[in-house]
Amino acid sequence: MRFLSAVVALSVTMTLVGAVAAQAQSPQAAPAATVGESFTLPSTVMGMERELNVLLPAGYADQPDRTWPVVYLLDGGQAQDFPVYANIAADLMAAGEMAEVIFVGVASMDRQNELTWRSADRRIIRQWPNHGQSDRFRRFLEQEVKPWVETNYRTGGDDAVLGESAAALFIVETFLNTPDLFDRYLAVSPSMWWDRGNLGADSAALLAGHSAADRQLLLTIADEGGEMQAGLDALLAALATAPPEGLIWSYEPRHDLTHSTIFLQMGPAFLRQAYPPQPQPR
């Protein structure tokens, strides 16, 4: 976890430290060997080549008539979280603890730029002047990443997105603003302090605009407290008051864990919850 260099008020610092880091928060060093297959996708939306990583289920090649759900991992580069969580997913699938999925890692390059929206908060503008293009990154996922995956692999039309911290904030923002982009939203310790908690404050109005659809939202938070917890609490209150029709959501706080340890615990738990084991086709 990286500590912010700017000196800010203590209450703010305790929330900001590590919540939006320049690199993905990984629980351990990534293995040297490449996990799965790594690809370079030319992106018109992002104006550059982007790294994608894919781990296929063990039975993929032997079942040409079968389709699979897709889990998209944000901060999913080979030097980020993909090796650890692709191996975890492979182990869970092999042990029969979760259904088989296609596991896709989407690497991030500038997390503040790609995973947050533009803020009017002067603290944020000073600290991260290049922040605030999450809408562009969302279009990248919608217009380029998902179509590429669906063209090259046998996907079944059930898509999840998984991430932590700033990536989880992006996931919550995506769920609230473009709920049709994914079917399942798995957000581990979302940085809901961002922009003075405005996303949580706006969540009731955004949820009111959701159409009825079968979706899943899984939320958790570590011991951050402060603005981080307050922003999430506002979202939880809106969900409890008027959940969109068809939404299945759950919240499992893990205040016994820290921002740097929760993903290793709750990432696998969310995968098992979103994709419980299914009977194998005959």
Side-chain angles (χ1 to χ4, degrees), residues 117-203:
W117 63 92
R118 194 69 190 173
S119 172
D121 189 333
R122 288 180 293 178
R123 303 172 303 169
I124 290 175
I125 294 170
R126 286 194 301 268
Q127 184 68 28
W128 299 294
N130 195 43
H131 78 275
Q133 295 197 45
S134 59
D135 183 64
R136 182 179 69 166
F137 192 71
R138 199 162 14 257
R139 286 188 285 111
F140 168 59
L141 294 175
E142 180 179 12
Q143 298 174 14
E144 296 179 329
V145 174
K146 292 186 68 179
W148 183 88
V149 171
E150 291 161 4
T151 297
N152 288 280
Y153 299 99
R154 298 191 300 276
T155 62
D158 183 314
D159 299 329
V161 60
L162 169 66
E164 66 155 341
S165 190
L169 175 71
F170 175 88
I171 289 171
V172 173
E173 184 201 3
T174 300
F175 165 73
L176 289 172
N177 286 284
T178 58
D180 294 335
L181 187 54
F182 296 96
D183 302 286
R184 306 175 194 276
Y185 295 82
L186 318 180
V188 177
S189 270
S191 299
M192 297 292 288
W193 60 266
W194 183 263
D195 200 23
R196 299 189 182 274
N198 282 342
L199 186 61
D202 294 341
S203 59

Coordinates of all heavy atoms in Angstrom, one line a residue, residues 117-203:
W117 N -14.3 9.4 -11.8 CA -14.9 10.5 -12.5 C -14.3 11.8 -12.1 O -13.7 11.9 -11.1 CB -16.5 10.5 -12.4 CG -16.9 10.8 -10.9 CD1 -17.2 12.0 -10.4 CD2 -17.1 9.8 -9.9 NE1 -17.6 11.8 -9.1 CE2 -17.5 10.5 -8.7 CE3 -17.0 8.4 -9.8 CZ2 -17.8 9.8 -7.5 CZ3 -17.2 7.7 -8.7 CH2 -17.6 8.5 -7.5
R118 N -14.6 12.9 -12.9 CA -14.0 14.2 -12.6 C -14.6 14.8 -11.3 O -15.9 14.8 -11.2 CB -14.2 15.1 -13.8 CG -13.3 16.4 -13.7 CD -11.9 16.1 -13.9 NE -11.0 17.2 -13.6 CZ -9.7 17.1 -13.6 NH1 -9.1 16.0 -13.8 NH2 -8.9 18.2 -13.3
S119 N -13.8 15.2 -10.4 CA -14.2 15.8 -9.2 C -14.0 17.3 -9.1 O -13.1 17.8 -9.8 CB -13.5 15.1 -8.0 OG -13.7 15.8 -6.8
A120 N -14.9 18.0 -8.4 CA -14.7 19.4 -8.2 C -13.9 19.7 -6.9 O -13.7 20.8 -6.5 CB -16.0 20.1 -8.1
D121 N -13.5 18.6 -6.2 CA -12.8 18.7 -4.9 C -11.4 19.2 -5.2 O -10.6 18.5 -5.8 CB -12.8 17.4 -4.2 CG -12.3 17.4 -2.8 OD1 -11.5 18.3 -2.5 OD2 -12.7 16.6 -2.0
R122 N -11.0 20.3 -4.6 CA -9.7 20.9 -4.9 C -8.6 20.0 -4.3 O -7.5 20.0 -4.9 CB -9.6 22.3 -4.3 CG -10.4 23.3 -5.1 CD -10.3 24.7 -4.5 NE -11.0 24.8 -3.2 CZ -11.0 25.8 -2.4 NH1 -10.4 26.9 -2.8 NH2 -11.6 25.8 -1.2
R123 N -8.9 19.2 -3.2 CA -7.9 18.3 -2.7 C -7.5 17.3 -3.8 O -6.3 16.9 -4.0 CB -8.4 17.6 -1.5 CG -8.8 18.5 -0.3 CD -9.5 17.6 0.7 NE -10.7 16.9 0.2 CZ -11.3 16.0 0.8 NH1 -10.9 15.6 2.0 NH2 -12.4 15.4 0.3
I124 N -8.5 16.7 -4.4 CA -8.3 15.7 -5.5 C -7.7 16.3 -6.7 O -6.8 15.7 -7.3 CB -9.7 15.1 -5.8 CG1 -10.2 14.2 -4.6 CG2 -9.6 14.2 -7.1 CD1 -11.6 13.6 -4.8
I125 N -8.1 17.5 -7.1 CA -7.5 18.1 -8.3 C -6.0 18.4 -8.1 O -5.2 18.1 -9.0 CB -8.2 19.4 -8.6 CG1 -9.7 19.1 -9.0 CG2 -7.5 20.2 -9.7 CD1 -10.6 20.3 -9.1
R126 N -5.6 18.8 -6.9 CA -4.2 19.0 -6.6 C -3.4 17.7 -6.6 O -2.3 17.6 -7.1 CB -4.0 19.7 -5.3 CG -4.4 21.2 -5.3 CD -3.9 21.9 -4.1 NE -4.4 21.3 -2.8 CZ -5.5 21.8 -2.2 NH1 -6.2 22.8 -2.7 NH2 -5.9 21.2 -1.1
Q127 N -4.0 16.7 -6.0 CA -3.3 15.4 -5.8 C -3.2 14.6 -7.1 O -2.1 14.0 -7.4 CB -4.0 14.6 -4.7 CG -3.2 13.3 -4.4 CD -1.9 13.5 -3.7 OE1 -1.7 14.5 -3.0 NE2 -1.0 12.6 -3.9
W128 N -4.3 14.6 -7.9 CA -4.3 13.8 -9.1 C -4.9 14.7 -10.2 O -6.1 14.5 -10.6 CB -5.2 12.6 -8.9 CG -4.7 11.7 -7.8 CD1 -3.6 10.9 -7.8 CD2 -5.3 11.4 -6.5 NE1 -3.4 10.2 -6.6 CE2 -4.5 10.5 -5.8 CE3 -6.5 11.8 -5.9 CZ2 -4.8 10.0 -4.5 CZ3 -6.8 11.4 -4.7 CH2 -6.0 10.5 -4.0
P129 N -4.1 15.5 -10.8 CA -4.7 16.4 -11.8 C -5.2 15.7 -13.1 O -6.0 16.2 -13.8 CB -3.5 17.4 -12.2 CG -2.3 16.6 -11.7 CD -2.7 15.8 -10.5
N130 N -4.7 14.5 -13.3 CA -5.1 13.7 -14.5 C -6.3 12.8 -14.2 O -6.6 12.0 -15.1 CB -3.9 12.9 -15.0 CG -4.1 12.4 -16.4 OD1 -4.6 13.2 -17.3 ND2 -3.7 11.2 -16.7
H131 N -6.9 12.9 -13.1 CA -8.0 12.0 -12.8 C -9.2 12.3 -13.6 O -9.3 13.3 -14.4 CB -8.4 12.1 -11.3 CG -9.2 13.3 -11.0 ND1 -8.7 14.6 -10.8 CD2 -10.6 13.5 -10.9 CE1 -9.7 15.4 -10.6 NE2 -10.8 14.8 -10.7
G132 N -10.2 11.3 -13.6 CA -11.5 11.7 -14.0 C -12.0 11.3 -15.3 O -12.9 11.9 -15.9
Q133 N -11.5 10.1 -15.9 CA -12.1 9.7 -17.2 C -12.6 8.3 -17.1 O -12.4 7.5 -18.0 CB -11.0 9.8 -18.3 CG -10.6 11.2 -18.5 CD -9.8 11.4 -19.9 OE1 -10.2 10.9 -20.9 NE2 -8.7 12.1 -19.8
S134 N -13.3 8.0 -16.1 CA -13.9 6.7 -15.9 C -15.0 6.4 -17.0 O -15.1 5.2 -17.4 CB -14.6 6.5 -14.6 OG -15.6 7.5 -14.4
D135 N -15.6 7.4 -17.5 CA -16.6 7.2 -18.6 C -15.9 6.7 -19.9 O -16.4 5.8 -20.5 CB -17.3 8.5 -18.9 CG -18.4 8.3 -20.0 OD1 -19.3 7.6 -19.7 OD2 -18.3 8.9 -21.1
R136 N -14.7 7.2 -20.1 CA -14.0 6.7 -21.3 C -13.6 5.2 -21.1 O -13.7 4.4 -22.0 CB -12.7 7.5 -21.5 CG -11.9 7.1 -22.8 CD -10.7 8.0 -23.0 NE -9.7 7.8 -22.0 CZ -8.4 8.2 -22.1 NH1 -8.0 8.9 -23.2 NH2 -7.5 8.0 -21.2
F137 N -13.1 4.9 -19.9 CA -12.7 3.5 -19.6 C -13.9 2.6 -19.7 O -13.8 1.4 -20.1 CB -12.0 3.4 -18.2 CG -11.4 2.1 -18.0 CD1 -10.2 1.8 -18.6 CD2 -11.9 1.2 -17.1 CE1 -9.5 0.6 -18.4 CE2 -11.2 0.0 -16.8 CZ -10.1 -0.3 -17.5
R138 N -15.1 3.1 -19.3 CA -16.3 2.3 -19.4 C -16.6 2.0 -20.8 O -17.1 0.9 -21.2 CB -17.4 3.0 -18.7 CG -18.6 2.1 -18.3 CD -19.5 2.7 -17.2 NE -19.3 4.1 -16.9 CZ -18.7 4.6 -15.9 NH1 -18.2 3.8 -15.0 NH2 -18.6 5.9 -15.7
R139 N -16.5 3.0 -21.7 CA -16.7 2.8 -23.1 C -15.7 1.9 -23.7 O -16.1 1.1 -24.6 CB -16.6 4.2 -23.9 CG -17.9 5.1 -23.6 CD -17.9 6.3 -24.5 NE -16.9 7.3 -24.1 CZ -15.8 7.6 -24.7 NH1 -15.5 7.0 -25.9 NH2 -15.0 8.6 -24.2
F140 N -14.5 1.9 -23.2 CA -13.5 0.9 -23.7 C -13.9 -0.5 -23.3 O -13.9 -1.4 -24.2 CB -12.2 1.2 -23.0 CG -11.1 0.2 -23.0 CD1 -10.6 -0.3 -24.3 CD2 -10.6 -0.3 -21.9 CE1 -9.6 -1.2 -24.3 CE2 -9.6 -1.3 -21.9 CZ -9.1 -1.8 -23.2
L141 N -14.5 -0.7 -22.2 CA -15.0 -2.0 -21.8 C -16.2 -2.4 -22.7 O -16.3 -3.6 -23.2 CB -15.4 -2.1 -20.3 CG -14.3 -1.9 -19.3 CD1 -14.9 -1.8 -17.9 CD2 -13.3 -3.0 -19.4
E142 N -17.1 -1.5 -22.8 CA -18.3 -1.8 -23.6 C -18.1 -2.0 -25.1 O -18.7 -2.9 -25.7 CB -19.3 -0.7 -23.3 CG -20.7 -0.9 -24.0 CD -21.7 0.2 -23.8 OE1 -21.3 1.3 -23.2 OE2 -22.8 0.0 -24.1
Q143 N -17.3 -1.1 -25.7 CA -17.2 -1.1 -27.1 C -16.1 -1.9 -27.7 O -16.1 -2.3 -28.9 CB -17.1 0.4 -27.6 CG -18.2 1.3 -27.2 CD -18.0 2.7 -27.6 OE1 -17.1 3.1 -28.3 NE2 -18.9 3.6 -27.0
E144 N -15.1 -2.2 -26.8 CA -13.9 -2.9 -27.4 C -13.6 -4.2 -26.6 O -13.4 -5.2 -27.2 CB -12.7 -1.9 -27.4 CG -12.9 -0.7 -28.3 CD -11.8 0.2 -28.3 OE1 -11.1 0.4 -27.3 OE2 -11.5 0.9 -29.3
V145 N -13.5 -4.1 -25.3 CA -13.1 -5.3 -24.5 C -14.1 -6.4 -24.6 O -13.8 -7.6 -25.0 CB -12.8 -5.0 -23.1 CG1 -12.5 -6.2 -22.3 CG2 -11.6 -4.0 -23.0
K146 N -15.3 -6.1 -24.2 CA -16.4 -7.2 -24.3 C -16.6 -7.7 -25.7 O -16.7 -8.9 -25.8 CB -17.7 -6.6 -23.6 CG -17.5 -6.4 -22.1 CD -18.8 -6.0 -21.5 CE -19.8 -7.2 -21.5 NZ -21.1 -6.8 -20.9
P147 N -16.7 -6.9 -26.7 CA -16.9 -7.4 -28.0 C -15.7 -8.3 -28.5 O -16.0 -9.3 -29.1 CB -17.0 -6.2 -28.9 CG -17.6 -5.1 -28.0 CD -17.0 -5.4 -26.7
W148 N -14.5 -8.0 -28.1 CA -13.4 -8.8 -28.4 C -13.5 -10.2 -27.8 O -13.2 -11.2 -28.4 CB -12.1 -8.1 -28.0 CG -10.8 -8.9 -28.4 CD1 -10.2 -8.8 -29.6 CD2 -10.1 -9.8 -27.6 NE1 -9.1 -9.7 -29.6 CE2 -9.0 -10.3 -28.3 CE3 -10.3 -10.3 -26.3 CZ2 -8.1 -11.2 -27.9 CZ3 -9.4 -11.2 -25.8 CH2 -8.4 -11.7 -26.6
V149 N -13.8 -10.2 -26.5 CA -14.0 -11.4 -25.8 C -15.1 -12.3 -26.4 O -14.9 -13.5 -26.6 CB -14.2 -11.2 -24.3 CG1 -14.6 -12.5 -23.5 CG2 -13.0 -10.5 -23.6
E150 N -16.2 -11.6 -26.7 CA -17.4 -12.4 -27.2 C -17.1 -12.9 -28.6 O -17.7 -13.9 -29.0 CB -18.6 -11.5 -27.1 CG -19.0 -11.2 -25.7 CD -19.9 -10.0 -25.6 OE1 -20.3 -9.4 -26.6 OE2 -20.3 -9.6 -24.4
T151 N -16.2 -12.2 -29.4 CA -15.9 -12.7 -30.7 C -14.9 -13.9 -30.7 O -15.0 -14.8 -31.5 CB -15.3 -11.5 -31.5 OG1 -16.2 -10.5 -31.7 CG2 -14.8 -12.0 -32.9
N152 N -14.0 -13.9 -29.7 CA -13.0 -14.8 -29.7 C -13.2 -16.0 -28.8 O -12.5 -17.0 -28.9 CB -11.6 -14.2 -29.3 CG -11.1 -13.3 -30.4 OD1 -10.5 -13.7 -31.3 ND2 -11.3 -12.0 -30.2
Y153 N -14.2 -16.0 -27.9 CA -14.5 -17.1 -27.0 C -16.0 -17.4 -27.0 O -16.8 -16.5 -27.3 CB -14.0 -16.7 -25.6 CG -12.5 -16.5 -25.6 CD1 -12.0 -15.2 -25.6 CD2 -11.6 -17.5 -25.5 CE1 -10.6 -14.9 -25.6 CE2 -10.2 -17.3 -25.6 CZ -9.8 -16.0 -25.6 OH -8.4 -15.8 -25.6
R154 N -16.3 -18.6 -26.5 CA -17.7 -19.0 -26.4 C -18.3 -18.5 -25.1 O -18.3 -19.3 -24.1 CB -17.8 -20.5 -26.6 CG -17.2 -21.0 -28.0 CD -17.5 -22.5 -28.2 NE -17.0 -23.4 -27.2 CZ -15.7 -23.8 -27.2 NH1 -14.9 -23.4 -28.2 NH2 -15.3 -24.7 -26.3
T155 N -18.8 -17.4 -25.2 CA -19.4 -16.7 -23.9 C -20.9 -17.0 -23.9 O -21.6 -17.2 -24.9 CB -19.1 -15.2 -23.9 OG1 -19.8 -14.6 -25.0 CG2 -17.6 -15.0 -24.0
G156 N -21.4 -17.0 -22.7 CA -22.8 -17.4 -22.5 C -23.7 -16.2 -22.2 O -24.9 -16.4 -21.9
G157 N -23.2 -15.0 -22.2 CA -24.1 -13.8 -21.9 C -24.3 -13.5 -20.5 O -25.2 -12.7 -20.1
D158 N -23.5 -14.1 -19.6 CA -23.5 -13.8 -18.1 C -22.2 -13.2 -17.8 O -21.2 -13.9 -17.8 CB -23.8 -15.0 -17.3 CG -23.9 -14.8 -15.8 OD1 -23.1 -14.0 -15.3 OD2 -24.9 -15.3 -15.2
D159 N -22.1 -11.9 -17.5 CA -20.8 -11.2 -17.3 C -20.8 -10.6 -15.9 O -21.7 -10.0 -15.4 CB -20.6 -10.1 -18.3 CG -20.6 -10.7 -19.7 OD1 -20.1 -11.8 -19.9 OD2 -21.0 -9.9 -20.6
A160 N -19.6 -10.8 -15.2 CA -19.4 -10.2 -13.9 C -18.2 -9.3 -14.0 O -17.3 -9.5 -14.9 CB -19.2 -11.3 -12.9
V161 N -18.1 -8.3 -13.1 CA -16.9 -7.5 -13.0 C -16.5 -7.4 -11.6 O -17.3 -7.3 -10.7 CB -17.2 -6.1 -13.6 CG1 -18.3 -5.3 -12.8 CG2 -15.9 -5.2 -13.6
L162 N -15.2 -7.6 -11.3 CA -14.6 -7.8 -10.0 C -13.5 -6.8 -9.8 O -12.6 -6.7 -10.7 CB -14.1 -9.2 -9.8 CG -13.3 -9.5 -8.6 CD1 -14.1 -9.4 -7.3 CD2 -12.7 -11.0 -8.7
G163 N -13.4 -6.2 -8.6 CA -12.3 -5.3 -8.3 C -12.3 -4.8 -6.9 O -13.3 -5.0 -6.2
E164 N -11.3 -4.1 -6.5 CA -11.1 -3.6 -5.2 C -10.7 -2.1 -5.2 O -10.2 -1.6 -6.2 CB -10.1 -4.3 -4.4 CG -8.7 -4.2 -4.9 CD -7.6 -4.4 -3.9 OE1 -7.9 -4.3 -2.7 OE2 -6.4 -4.6 -4.3
S165 N -11.0 -1.4 -4.1 CA -10.5 0.0 -3.9 C -11.1 0.9 -5.0 O -12.3 1.0 -5.2 CB -9.0 0.0 -3.8 OG -8.5 1.2 -3.4
A166 N -10.2 1.6 -5.8 CA -10.6 2.4 -6.9 C -11.4 1.7 -7.9 O -12.3 2.2 -8.5 CB -9.4 3.2 -7.5
A167 N -10.9 0.4 -8.2 CA -11.6 -0.4 -9.2 C -13.0 -0.7 -8.7 O -14.0 -0.8 -9.5 CB -10.8 -1.7 -9.5
A168 N -13.2 -1.0 -7.4 CA -14.5 -1.2 -6.8 C -15.4 0.0 -6.9 O -16.6 -0.1 -7.1 CB -14.4 -1.7 -5.4
L169 N -14.8 1.2 -6.7 CA -15.5 2.4 -6.9 C -16.0 2.5 -8.3 O -17.2 2.9 -8.5 CB -14.6 3.6 -6.6 CG -15.2 5.0 -6.8 CD1 -16.3 5.3 -5.8 CD2 -14.1 6.1 -6.8
F170 N -15.2 2.2 -9.3 CA -15.6 2.2 -10.7 C -16.7 1.2 -10.9 O -17.7 1.5 -11.6 CB -14.4 1.9 -11.5 CG -14.7 1.7 -13.0 CD1 -14.7 2.8 -13.9 CD2 -15.1 0.4 -13.5 CE1 -15.0 2.6 -15.2 CE2 -15.4 0.3 -14.9 CZ -15.4 1.4 -15.7
I171 N -16.7 0.1 -10.2 CA -17.7 -0.9 -10.4 C -19.0 -0.4 -9.8 O -20.1 -0.6 -10.4 CB -17.3 -2.2 -9.7 CG1 -16.2 -2.9 -10.5 CG2 -18.5 -3.2 -9.5 CD1 -15.5 -4.1 -9.8
V172 N -19.0 0.3 -8.7 CA -20.3 0.8 -8.1 C -20.8 1.9 -9.0 O -22.0 2.0 -9.3 CB -20.0 1.3 -6.7 CG1 -21.3 2.1 -6.2 CG2 -19.7 0.2 -5.7
E173 N -19.9 2.8 -9.5 CA -20.3 3.9 -10.4 C -21.0 3.3 -11.6 O -22.0 3.8 -12.1 CB -19.2 4.8 -10.8 CG -19.6 5.9 -11.6 CD -18.4 6.6 -12.4 OE1 -17.3 6.0 -12.4 OE2 -18.7 7.5 -13.1
T174 N -20.4 2.2 -12.2 CA -20.9 1.6 -13.4 C -22.3 1.0 -13.1 O -23.2 1.1 -13.9 CB -19.9 0.5 -13.9 OG1 -18.7 1.1 -14.2 CG2 -20.4 -0.2 -15.1
F175 N -22.4 0.3 -12.0 CA -23.7 -0.3 -11.6 C -24.8 0.8 -11.5 O -25.9 0.6 -12.0 CB -23.5 -1.1 -10.3 CG -24.9 -1.4 -9.6 CD1 -25.7 -2.4 -10.2 CD2 -25.3 -0.6 -8.5 CE1 -26.9 -2.6 -9.6 CE2 -26.5 -0.9 -8.0 CZ -27.3 -1.9 -8.5
L176 N -24.4 1.9 -10.9 CA -25.5 2.9 -10.7 C -25.8 3.6 -12.0 O -27.0 4.0 -12.2 CB -25.0 3.9 -9.6 CG -25.0 3.4 -8.2 CD1 -24.3 4.4 -7.3 CD2 -26.4 3.1 -7.7
N177 N -24.8 3.9 -12.9 CA -25.1 4.7 -14.0 C -25.4 3.9 -15.3 O -26.1 4.4 -16.2 CB -23.8 5.6 -14.3 CG -23.8 6.7 -13.3 OD1 -24.5 7.7 -13.4 ND2 -22.9 6.6 -12.3
T178 N -24.7 2.7 -15.5 CA -25.0 1.9 -16.7 C -25.2 0.4 -16.2 O -24.4 -0.4 -16.5 CB -23.8 2.0 -17.6 OG1 -22.6 1.6 -17.0 CG2 -23.6 3.4 -18.2
P179 N -26.3 0.2 -15.5 CA -26.5 -1.1 -14.9 C -26.5 -2.3 -15.9 O -26.3 -3.4 -15.5 CB -27.8 -1.0 -14.2 CG -28.5 0.1 -14.8 CD -27.4 1.1 -15.3
D180 N -26.8 -2.0 -17.2 CA -26.9 -3.1 -18.1 C -25.6 -3.6 -18.7 O -25.5 -4.6 -19.4 CB -27.7 -2.7 -19.3 CG -29.2 -2.4 -19.0 OD1 -29.7 -3.0 -18.0 OD2 -29.9 -1.6 -19.7
L181 N -24.5 -2.9 -18.3 CA -23.2 -3.3 -18.9 C -22.7 -4.7 -18.4 O -22.1 -5.5 -19.1 CB -22.1 -2.3 -18.5 CG -20.8 -2.4 -19.1 CD1 -20.9 -2.5 -20.7 CD2 -19.9 -1.2 -18.8
F182 N -23.0 -5.0 -17.1 CA -22.7 -6.3 -16.6 C -23.9 -6.9 -15.9 O -24.8 -6.2 -15.5 CB -21.5 -6.2 -15.6 CG -20.2 -5.8 -16.2 CD1 -19.8 -4.4 -16.1 CD2 -19.4 -6.7 -16.8 CE1 -18.7 -4.0 -16.7 CE2 -18.2 -6.3 -17.4 CZ -17.8 -4.9 -17.3
D183 N -23.9 -8.2 -15.6 CA -24.9 -8.9 -14.9 C -24.6 -8.9 -13.4 O -25.6 -8.9 -12.6 CB -25.1 -10.3 -15.4 CG -25.4 -10.3 -16.9 OD1 -26.6 -9.9 -17.2 OD2 -24.5 -10.6 -17.7
R184 N -23.3 -9.0 -13.0 CA -22.9 -9.1 -11.6 C -21.8 -8.1 -11.3 O -20.9 -8.0 -12.1 CB -22.5 -10.6 -11.4 CG -23.5 -11.6 -11.8 CD -23.0 -13.0 -11.6 NE -23.8 -14.0 -12.3 CZ -24.9 -14.5 -11.8 NH1 -25.3 -14.2 -10.6 NH2 -25.6 -15.4 -12.5
Y185 N -22.0 -7.4 -10.2 CA -21.0 -6.4 -9.8 C -20.4 -6.8 -8.5 O -21.2 -6.9 -7.5 CB -21.7 -5.1 -9.7 CG -22.2 -4.6 -11.1 CD1 -23.5 -5.0 -11.6 CD2 -21.5 -3.7 -11.8 CE1 -23.9 -4.6 -12.8 CE2 -21.9 -3.2 -13.1 CZ -23.2 -3.7 -13.5 OH -23.6 -3.2 -14.8
L186 N -19.1 -7.1 -8.4 CA -18.5 -7.6 -7.2 C -17.5 -6.5 -6.7 O -16.4 -6.4 -7.3 CB -17.8 -8.9 -7.5 CG -18.6 -9.9 -8.4 CD1 -17.8 -11.2 -8.6 CD2 -20.0 -10.2 -7.8
A187 N -17.8 -5.8 -5.7 CA -17.0 -4.6 -5.3 C -16.5 -4.8 -3.9 O -17.2 -4.8 -2.9 CB -17.9 -3.3 -5.4
V188 N -15.2 -4.8 -3.8 CA -14.5 -5.1 -2.5 C -13.9 -3.8 -2.1 O -13.0 -3.2 -2.7 CB -13.4 -6.1 -2.7 CG1 -12.6 -6.3 -1.4 CG2 -14.0 -7.5 -3.2
S189 N -14.3 -3.3 -0.9 CA -13.9 -2.0 -0.3 C -13.8 -0.9 -1.4 O -12.8 -0.3 -1.6 CB -12.5 -2.2 0.3 OG -12.6 -2.6 1.7
P190 N -15.0 -0.5 -1.9 CA -15.0 0.6 -2.9 C -14.6 1.9 -2.2 O -15.0 2.2 -1.1 CB -16.4 0.6 -3.4 CG -17.2 0.0 -2.3 CD -16.3 -1.1 -1.7
S191 N -13.8 2.7 -2.9 CA -13.4 4.0 -2.4 C -14.5 5.1 -2.4 O -14.4 6.1 -3.1 CB -12.1 4.5 -3.2 OG -11.1 3.6 -3.0
M192 N -15.5 4.9 -1.6 CA -16.7 5.7 -1.7 C -16.5 7.1 -1.1 O -17.4 7.9 -1.1 CB -17.9 5.0 -1.0 CG -18.3 3.7 -1.6 SD -19.1 3.9 -3.2 CE -20.6 4.7 -2.8
W193 N -15.3 7.4 -0.5 CA -15.0 8.7 -0.1 C -14.8 9.7 -1.3 O -14.8 10.9 -1.1 CB -13.7 8.7 0.8 CG -12.5 8.2 0.0 CD1 -12.0 6.9 0.0 CD2 -11.6 9.0 -0.9 NE1 -10.9 6.9 -0.9 CE2 -10.6 8.1 -1.4 CE3 -11.6 10.3 -1.2 CZ2 -9.6 8.5 -2.3 CZ3 -10.6 10.7 -2.1 CH2 -9.6 9.8 -2.6
W194 N -14.5 9.1 -2.5 CA -14.1 10.0 -3.6 C -15.2 11.1 -3.9 O -16.4 10.8 -3.8 CB -14.0 9.1 -4.8 CG -13.6 9.8 -6.1 CD1 -14.3 10.3 -7.1 CD2 -12.2 10.1 -6.4 NE1 -13.6 10.9 -8.0 CE2 -12.3 10.8 -7.7 CE3 -11.0 9.9 -5.8 CZ2 -11.1 11.2 -8.3 CZ3 -9.8 10.3 -6.5 CH2 -9.9 11.0 -7.7
D195 N -14.7 12.2 -4.2 CA -15.6 13.4 -4.5 C -16.5 13.7 -3.4 O -17.7 14.0 -3.6 CB -16.3 13.1 -5.8 CG -16.9 14.4 -6.5 OD1 -16.3 15.4 -6.2 OD2 -17.8 14.3 -7.3
R196 N -16.0 13.6 -2.1 CA -16.7 13.9 -0.9 C -18.0 13.0 -0.8 O -19.0 13.5 -0.3 CB -17.1 15.4 -0.9 CG -15.9 16.3 -0.8 CD -16.2 17.8 -0.5 NE -15.1 18.6 -0.5 CZ -14.3 18.8 0.5 NH1 -14.6 18.2 1.7 NH2 -13.2 19.6 0.4
G197 N -17.9 11.8 -1.2 CA -19.0 10.9 -1.1 C -20.2 11.1 -1.9 O -21.3 10.6 -1.6
N198 N -20.0 11.8 -3.0 CA -21.2 12.2 -3.8 C -21.9 11.0 -4.5 O -23.1 11.1 -4.7 CB -20.8 13.2 -4.9 CG -20.6 14.6 -4.4 OD1 -21.1 14.9 -3.3 ND2 -19.9 15.5 -5.1
L199 N -21.2 9.9 -4.8 CA -21.8 8.8 -5.4 C -22.8 8.2 -4.5 O -23.9 7.8 -4.9 CB -20.8 7.8 -5.9 CG -21.3 6.6 -6.7 CD1 -21.9 7.1 -8.0 CD2 -20.2 5.6 -7.0
G200 N -22.5 8.0 -3.2 CA -23.4 7.5 -2.3 C -24.6 8.4 -2.1 O -25.8 8.0 -2.0
A201 N -24.3 9.7 -2.1 CA -25.4 10.7 -1.9 C -26.4 10.7 -3.1 O -27.6 10.9 -2.9 CB -24.9 12.1 -1.7
D202 N -25.9 10.4 -4.3 CA -26.7 10.3 -5.5 C -27.3 9.0 -5.8 O -28.1 8.8 -6.7 CB -25.9 10.7 -6.7 CG -25.4 12.2 -6.6 OD1 -26.0 13.0 -5.9 OD2 -24.4 12.5 -7.4
S203 N -27.0 8.0 -4.9 CA -27.4 6.6 -5.3 C -28.9 6.4 -5.3 O -29.4 5.6 -6.2 CB -26.7 5.6 -4.3 OG -27.1 5.9 -3.0

